[in-house]
Amino acid sequence: MTDDVHHDDGPRLGKVGLWTFALEAHPAGVAQEAAAEIEELGYGALWFGEGFGRDSVSQSWLLLSATSRITVAAGIANIALRDPIAMAAAERALNEAHPGRYLLGLGGHRISDEPIQMDGYQIPSLGRAVTTMGGYLDAMDAVPLESAAPAHAPRRVLAALGPKMLGLAARRTLGAHTYFVPVEHTARAREAMGPGALLAVEQAVVLHRDPARARELAAEHVSFYRTAAPHQAASLRRLGFGEDEIEHGSDRLVDAIVAHGDAAAIEKRVRAHLDAGADHVCLQVLTDDPGDLPLPEWRELAALTSL
């Protein structure tokens, strides 16, 4: 692996980036100021999720317009929210306006066999994951766009956990963006995709002086995904975690998913992912107040960008 990850004319990510939902709770100007500082700190990429806040396209425009070098990565844009025509057109426009700096991650928790309940709101399903995603990519590629073409082809990754989706990611896009995964999954993903595909791994971390509170924050994060996200529970089963661990949580599960402690402990986990086959690790910093921007932690962890 090189110091500046750059697969198949893909975006330059560096070894370490940031992943965050924290920008959602703040006005656009504050989010843009944070993005500009993240760029100056040396991170290679700024990843963000999509929920019930700003939509992925709008957030991408905000962050790209506030920066000049860093890659802005949708992690991920939910395919249930946009017709393939709209997604293809937005992807082209973002790449045209900000050459080489936009990475489109595609996925979606609405890809399931049954409707999903979230905060009392029923989310319709789209069908089986691999088939649905393959069809969506086909539809995007078939759109007869008439706008000005960017200098480079679209840069995409897929949210992928299981071997079939990882295979699709390797065949049809630059590679995979994995989320809520231990190092063992990174090794399996690299084996499933082969050496040429991009593997960008999200890693949740807690920097906290109080070890007990650090573990508590880590456990809260794990609890949400193991209970609210069936695809994550399925991934944990494939990795050998038992039903009791998934239902109630365990120290083993928490420690596998969240790196907590000091900066040295987090560096150790990042290096473990890189050694297991990751090209890029994006850090999601967990704090006492998820609405706060974790600027002190982002600043402290910026030393990892030299890996």
Side-chain angles (χ1 to χ4, degrees), residues 181-183 186 201-203 269-278 281:
V181 294
V183 172
T186 297
V201 179
E202 176 271 346
Q203 174 62 61
R269 181 68 60 87
V270 171
R271 288 186 181 277
H273 278 296
L274 295 173
D275 289 345
V281 180

Side-chain angles (χ1 to χ4, degrees), residues 150-185:
H152 301 284
R155 297 161 167 87
R156 303 170 186 163
V157 292
L158 299 184
L161 292 173
K164 292 182 180 179
M165 189 65 82
L166 288 165
L168 182 67
R171 292 192 306 273
R172 297 291 303 275
T173 71
L174 290 178
H177 172 44
T178 58
Y179 184 96
F180 197 76
V181 294
V183 172
E184 181 183 352
H185 184 276

Side-chain angles (χ1 to χ4, degrees), residues 27-285:
V30 175
Q32 289 180 309
E33 290 174 0
E37 178 169 351
I38 288 166
E39 179 175 71
E40 291 305 310
L41 287 170
Y43 290 101
L46 173 54
W47 299 76
F48 61 91
E50 181 175 42
F52 291 105
R54 295 187 188 97
D55 77 282
S56 183
V57 176
S58 299
Q59 187 79 302
S60 297
W61 279 113
L62 282 174
L63 302 179
L64 285 163
S65 64
T67 55
S68 60
R69 300 182 305 278
I70 196 171
T71 292
V72 171
I76 48 73
N78 194 322
I79 68 172
L81 301 182
R82 282 167 215 91
D83 183 274
I85 298 173
M87 190 72 260
E91 177 187 45
R92 174 176 281 204
L94 287 163
N95 277 307
E96 178 197 359
H98 303 278
R101 293 206 299 124
Y102 177 59
L103 177 60
L104 172 60
L106 293 169
H109 304 315
R110 300 186 187 189
I111 302 174
S112 63
D113 294 326
E114 300 293 337
I116 298 170
Q117 296 290 334
M118 181 177 290
D119 296 331
Y121 178 72
Q122 181 168 293
I123 303 173
S125 66
L126 291 181
R128 293 195 175 276
V130 176
T131 301
T132 300
M133 182 59 75
Y136 193 88
L137 292 172
D138 290 341
M140 284 186 68
D141 290 343
V143 176
L145 295 171
E146 298 178 356
S147 59
H152 301 284
R155 297 161 167 87
R156 303 170 186 163
V157 292
L158 299 184
L161 292 173
K164 292 182 180 179
M165 189 65 82
L166 288 165
L168 182 67
R171 292 192 306 273
R172 297 291 303 275
T173 71
L174 290 178
H177 172 44
T178 58
Y179 184 96
F180 197 76
V181 294
V183 172
E184 181 183 352
H185 184 276
T186 297
R188 293 189 184 190
R190 174 53 67 203
E191 182 178 359
M193 292 196 301
L198 175 67
L199 180 53
V201 179
E202 176 271 346
Q203 174 62 61
V205 303
V206 180
L207 267 177
H208 209 291
R209 289 191 174 89
D210 180 354
R213 180 55 180 155
R215 177 175 287 280
E216 185 178 2
L217 287 170
E220 290 171 1
H221 176 75
V222 170
S223 178
F224 173 79
Y225 284 100
R226 65 178 173 76
T227 57
H231 64 295
Q232 295 292 0
S235 176
L236 294 175
R237 292 186 190 97
R238 286 193 296 268
L239 290 164
F241 290 96
E243 291 300 325
D244 187 66
E245 289 182 289
I246 296 170
E247 182 177 356
H248 302 291
S250 68
D251 287 348
R252 184 174 83 100
L253 177 55
V254 170
D255 292 344
I257 296 296
V258 182
H260 51 93
D262 59 13
I266 292 166
E267 178 181 349
K268 182 178 179 180
R269 181 68 60 87
V270 171
R271 288 186 181 277
H273 278 296
L274 295 173
D275 289 345
D279 296 296
H280 173 80
V281 180
C282 40
L283 304 175
Q284 180 178 186
V285 175

